Amino acid sequence: MKLSPVADPNRGATRFSDIIYEKIVGMIADGNFPVNERLPPESKLAVMFGASRPVVREALERLRVDGLVVSRKGSGSYVRQRPDASMLKMVPVGSLADVQRFFEFRAGLEAEAAELAARNWQPADKERITAALSAIEQCLRDGKLGAEEDQALHDAIAMATGNQFHITVREWFRPHFAIGHSVTRSLSLKRTPEQIRSVQDEHAVIVAAIFARNEAEAHDAMKRHILNARARMFQGV
């Protein structure tokens, strides 16, 4: 399942930086670039990957944004954390940067959906949301993945907005949403029980705010949840 890149006048350079970005993530995950160790300088990375220094610089900036590397003034870039290597096997080759960008898109979109849901939900919406939250809880008890159930909860919240465009967008980008839910749920199964529970607790906070018609808290809770899910992709060993 390949994510389609958004048209961009600088697409060639941007896409090449995405490839470099994914290669460096892979080398960090494999331990070739160890945690707390300095990455090779830009010039050496450029030679290593057959890329220009601006392209490498763009890839490194993305790695910093995603919390995988940190810059130390006058010293270079250092590996901050090592993601689970299995994460790369769950994402279509060449699409990791797109998956991360889609999380950024979701953070705004779904926060607005939660806010609207808090304002507009009807009894039927409450039933759907409650049932979806319970289905995820059952998956936790059974040790199941729960990716479809997770997606169903977010679908139910979109329906509760009363705005058909939130529903339509989820249909348009359903494969993209599915990848995000599948990867984060798959990785969560490797976490501690407390970490697994924390994800469901985030859902519960969102739902409680929606049912209380607390629009601001529903917005903020959903945004935190999506950004946390994005960060959890890179939590590893």
Side-chain angles (χ1 to χ4, degrees):
M1 190 185 300
K2 175 71 173 175
L3 298 185
S4 300
V6 176
D8 189 314
N10 301 313
R11 178 179 167 185
T14 301
R15 298 305 295 171
F16 196 19
S17 70
D18 289 350
I19 293 169
I20 304 304
Y21 162 91
E22 189 163 321
K23 286 181 180 295
I24 296 175
V25 172
M27 294 180 78
I28 294 173
D30 291 341
N32 291 309
F33 293 149
V35 174
N36 296 324
E37 293 294 320
R38 185 165 65 94
L39 288 175
E42 285 181 7
S43 57
K44 187 171 182 179
L45 289 172
V47 172
M48 184 184 302
F49 298 120
S52 67
R53 290 184 66 176
V55 167
V56 170
R57 193 172 302 124
E58 186 176 344
L60 290 173
E61 177 58 28
R62 185 105 202 132
L63 290 163
R64 283 190 283 272
V65 170
D66 290 339
L68 281 176
V69 305
V70 61
S71 293
R72 297 180 186 172
K73 191 173 182 180
S75 181
S77 298
Y78 288 75
V79 178
R80 184 178 179 186
Q81 62 179 337
R82 179 185 174 190
D84 191 325
S86 64
M87 177 266 295
L88 290 168
K89 298 176 183 177
M90 303 176 199
V91 176
V93 174
S95 295
L96 181 58
D98 285 340
V99 171
Q100 289 295 299
R101 290 191 184 105
F102 194 68
F103 271 109
E104 293 172 357
F105 169 70
R106 285 181 61 190
L109 177 74
E110 297 200 56
E112 292 296 325
E115 181 177 336
L116 279 175
R119 184 186 311 165
N120 297 327
W121 66 263
Q122 299 299 315
D125 298 309
K126 187 172 185 178
E127 289 181 11
R128 275 191 294 268
I129 292 171
T130 300
L133 187 66
S134 297
I136 299 174
E137 190 66 43
Q138 186 62 52
C139 287
L140 292 181
R141 287 194 291 268
D142 296 341
K144 295 181 179 178
L145 183 61
E148 292 181 3
E149 289 78 4
D150 194 335
Q151 191 160 342
L153 173 61
H154 288 260
D155 286 344
I157 291 171
M159 291 179 68
T161 64
N163 185 319
Q164 74 272 25
F165 291 105
H166 275 283
I167 301 168
T168 300
V169 167
R170 292 193 66 83
E171 289 301 321
W172 281 348
F173 294 104
R174 186 153 296 275
H176 300 62
F177 283 109
I179 288 174
H181 286 291
S182 179
V183 171
T184 53
R185 298 297 299 189
S186 295
L187 291 173
S188 73
L189 294 179
K190 299 185 176 186
R191 312 303 186 201
T192 66
E194 292 76 19
Q195 289 172 318
I196 295 172
R197 170 51 52 187
S198 70
V199 178
Q200 183 68 342
D201 288 345
E202 290 175 12
H203 286 144
V205 170
I206 296 165
V207 170
I210 290 173
F211 291 165
R213 297 202 185 278
N214 188 332
E215 298 174 27
E217 176 56 25
H219 177 284
D220 292 347
M222 179 63 87
K223 188 168 187 176
R224 285 194 303 271
H225 171 60
I226 300 300
L227 293 178
N228 285 344
R230 179 178 179 272
R232 280 189 284 265
M233 275 192 67
F234 287 137
Q235 289 176 354
V237 295

